[in-house]
Amino acid sequence: MAREFRGRIELDVRDSQGDWEAFLPQKAPAGAPNVLVVLYDDTGQAAWSPYGGRIRMPTMDRLAAGGLTYSQWHTTELCSPTRSTFLTGRNHHLTGFATISESSTGFPGYSSHIPASNATMANVLRDAGWSTFWVGKNHNVPIDEWTSGASKKNWPLAQGYDRFYGFIGGETNNWYPSLAEDNHYVDQPYGPEEGYHLSKDLADQALRMIRDVRQTEPDKPWYLWFCPGANHAPHHAPQEYVDRYKGAFDDGYEAYREWVLPRMIERGILPEGTEPTDVNPMPDGTFTQTDLVRPWVELSAEERAMFCRMAEVYAGFSEYTDAQVGRIVDYLEESGQLENTIILYCADNGASGEGSPNGSVNEGKIFGGYPDDEAQNLTMVDELGTPNTYNHYPTGWAMAFSTPYRMFKRYTYQGGVCDPLVIHWPAGIRARGEVRNQYHHSTDIVPTILDLCGVEMPHTYDGVEQNPLSGVSMAYTFDAEPDAPTRKRTQYYEMLGSRGIWHEGWKAVTVHGPMSGMSGFENDTWQLFHTDVDRAEAHDLAAEHPNRLKALKALWMDEARANDVLPLNDLQIIGSPKDFETFVQMEFHIPVPPSGRYVYYPGTSEVPERSAANVHGVSYKVLAELDLTPGAEGVVFAHGSRFGGHALFLKDGAVTYAYNFLGIPPETHVSAPLPGGGRHIIGVDFAKERTGEYREAIGPLRLWIDDEMVAEQEIRTVLGHFSLCGEGLCIGYDSGDAVSSAYAGSRFELTGGTIHKVVFDIADDAYVDAEAHLRAAMARD
């Protein structure tokens, strides 16, 4: 109840007095503001036009001209962790998000389970009278709760959001996304051939939610968290927007750095005298080689053309999505809501170096533990940004878009954590088009919004004592004290073994790259930077100030203990098969049935890859029990997409098992004639006999119809994952992007037959922990 019942209850209702107010939800104060948070992915400060970059962002430019641009706003080094701070206002390890959901492990700071002691801002705002909406990327559902049958207590609706529409996980195909609405998975409303793009769809849904509130509760304020897939890979954009940047990056990424730095200084983003850092600032042996930047001068003409096109696609993706945000802003203006809507337009971490030195046309190879093939990439330059690629630019552009800082996403240097932020609120900010230079962090967003809305984070929530907010309100920077010293004193950083801490204008950072496999944390070399005067962290002052450095190192450890940062994990998942296998072992695995068998049925939602039977790098059997007619066609099962997966389907009078090895042509097809009508058992049996150079499993794949082996061929299978998220296991259809080119462009649902069940058996070679494997072996029939 909103408050205690104040009516009167007698024997007869005629003598009693009701009190509806005791049962109605609390109302927000009159004149309370709306809040719109636009949170992009993977964008360095030097990319966007409000900061002097070459990527045109008309909507963000408009908001910056009417509001404030922040030059020293910081985040964590990865997606899920930063988003957890937007959810709760607490540091990322304290919320269980030391890293992304997909790589969570069984430690308090790494579990991806937000504890009850960290109530979300959405819950608090909803209780205070706001409508709450989340549209777009949700990278904060724990990996063990992705399935349809799992608990939904960590899905958006249980985290305080009235509505949700978007995708679960770190990324999705922008042409064929894996979508969820509220608490269930849904199909995309139409295809790319009809004009579909995820950014457009998300804006459509956001507008619908706001309009619904406006027409039924016109005085009720709302909070909308709008999280597009941009600018995370895969970089997908309509051709019109990509072509707008033709030739824009032909000077190369090193020249871009020289071009953009003076523009950033001119706009007041950086102080006069700011010097750029080295293109490759990390000493050999302290970082993974996949984070190297290749000098532009050493590239061939074909490589330069491909790298430039990758940047053009990224820019078109960013501007197209900004145009969709513009549709929301235009509606707010038309409906008279813009004046009293607080808009925060920002990005969650620095530019991404996950494309490797050569870029990629299929970023999924990273998650499969397999290197990119530059020769194949070069053949697909004209396909970049289209449904035929899953592309990511090379590390050189990550370095350029993070000018003038060291490194990029995943690193605790400024290149990984210093990001764009514009705040626009005409009713509450008098200043227009000004820059603010106070040092702030993503943990300060929740305190700021609550402060501006006049709402406090409670000391207890649902009977649980709450952790205090980790940040401070930024409202003092708006008008009263535009040049005041920052009110933030300390902020620690840690990501994948890379560590740092900022305290009162000084920052210490370890020379220890993320996922470097170095270990030996107690012997780390630390650098020291005076960030009040050296924003770029260009000058290491560790030798000149050893006592200050010693104090900062001790402060980092204090913060680590207080925020559940330990144990540190720098496992090298690319280039170290042993570390990769260790990492996979540490990830969440669905409990293995005693028999080693998983049974799936038609008429069900897709099963997320991390919760499906694990056929990666192991021997496996798949058997489907079906009733068929002679003309039966369609998918029996499918898992993955054109960028990696496998499927069993019926087409053109044949039974075909297709294995798509990370989108590398040619697809492997093992086929036999379709049997006559009636009940049949159709299946495959893969026997892993050896491993290849990159730990991929190699062996014979046998196709069976009833008790007869009808075809056999040697194949290789992926060790890691088909995709980071989405593109799960489907029975009787293929959701999203098709696994096989043989039926591309449709769900290819099974017709002319009935699937009774599909059984996956990995009991002979399950990649599970030793204890679970032993239990399964002992309990087998």
Side-chain angles (χ1 to χ4, degrees), residues 59 98 115 153-154 168-169 202 209 222 278 340 358 370 458-459 516 518 562 583 635 637 716 730 742 766 771 773 781:
T59 303
K153 69 177 183 179
N154 288 297
I168 305 297
L202 296 179
M209 292 178 189
W222 47 263
D278 292 338
N340 197 28
N358 295 323
Y370 200 83
H459 295 295
S516 62
M518 291 170 58
F583 194 84
V635 168
F637 79 82
R716 55 178 178 169
C730 304
E771 182 180 356
H773 199 162
D781 295 335

Side-chain angles (χ1 to χ4, degrees), residues 555-569:
L555 182 58
W556 185 91
M557 188 57 71
D558 290 342
E559 292 290 301
R561 293 192 180 101
N563 288 279
D564 292 335
V565 176
L566 304 179
L568 300 176
N569 175 3

Side-chain angles (χ1 to χ4, degrees), residues 286-300:
T286 64
F287 70 108
T288 174
Q289 293 298 292
T290 55
D291 287 344
L292 273 174
V293 172
R294 296 178 62 194
W296 192 258
V297 69
E298 296 179 8
L299 303 179
S300 68

Side-chain angles (χ1 to χ4, degrees), residues 186-373:
V186 296
D187 295 328
Q188 69 185 89
Y190 54 97
E193 65 280 357
E194 301 170 273
Y196 184 90
H197 187 282
L198 177 62
S199 296
K200 179 177 182 292
D201 185 18
L202 296 179
D204 289 344
Q205 297 293 336
L207 285 166
R208 183 172 295 114
M209 292 178 189
I210 298 172
R211 286 169 173 153
D212 282 348
V213 172
R214 184 71 171 175
Q215 75 175 359
T216 58
E217 285 86 20
D219 297 324
K220 186 178 183 180
W222 47 263
Y223 163 62
L224 168 63
W225 196 12
F226 186 79
C227 305
N231 283 322
H232 200 288
H235 302 152
H236 288 149
Q239 196 68 35
E240 170 197 352
Y241 277 82
V242 175
D243 288 345
R244 292 181 183 185
Y245 289 91
K246 187 172 181 60
F249 300 98
D250 285 357
D251 51 348
Y253 35 68
E254 289 154 324
Y256 183 92
R257 292 186 99 211
E258 297 175 2
W259 174 85
V260 76
L261 179 55
R263 294 172 59 85
M264 297 176 77
I265 293 173
E266 178 185 353
R267 289 171 179 254
I269 303 301
L270 296 167
E272 290 285 348
T274 298
E275 300 175 26
T277 54
D278 292 338
V279 170
N280 286 304
M282 299 285 289
D284 288 343
T286 64
F287 70 108
T288 174
Q289 293 298 292
T290 55
D291 287 344
L292 273 174
V293 172
R294 296 178 62 194
W296 192 258
V297 69
E298 296 179 8
L299 303 179
S300 68
E302 292 81 7
E303 289 172 326
R304 291 183 185 181
M306 179 177 68
F307 288 9
C308 289
R309 191 59 173 172
M310 287 176 165
E312 293 166 12
V313 172
Y314 177 81
F317 186 24
S318 198
E319 184 180 347
Y320 175 72
T321 304
D322 178 83
Q324 306 314 306
V325 177
R327 293 172 55 212
I328 300 174
V329 174
D330 287 345
Y331 166 71
L332 296 180
E333 184 174 39
E334 293 163 8
S335 61
Q337 299 180 75
L338 185 60
E339 180 76 12
N340 197 28
T341 298
I342 304 164
I343 302 179
L344 296 92
Y345 200 135
C346 45
D348 68 0
N349 49 242
S352 173
E354 291 156 336
S356 81
N358 295 323
S360 178
V361 299
N362 178 11
E363 186 213 19
K365 291 178 183 177
I366 295 171
F367 312 118
Y370 200 83
D372 241 299
D373 182 347

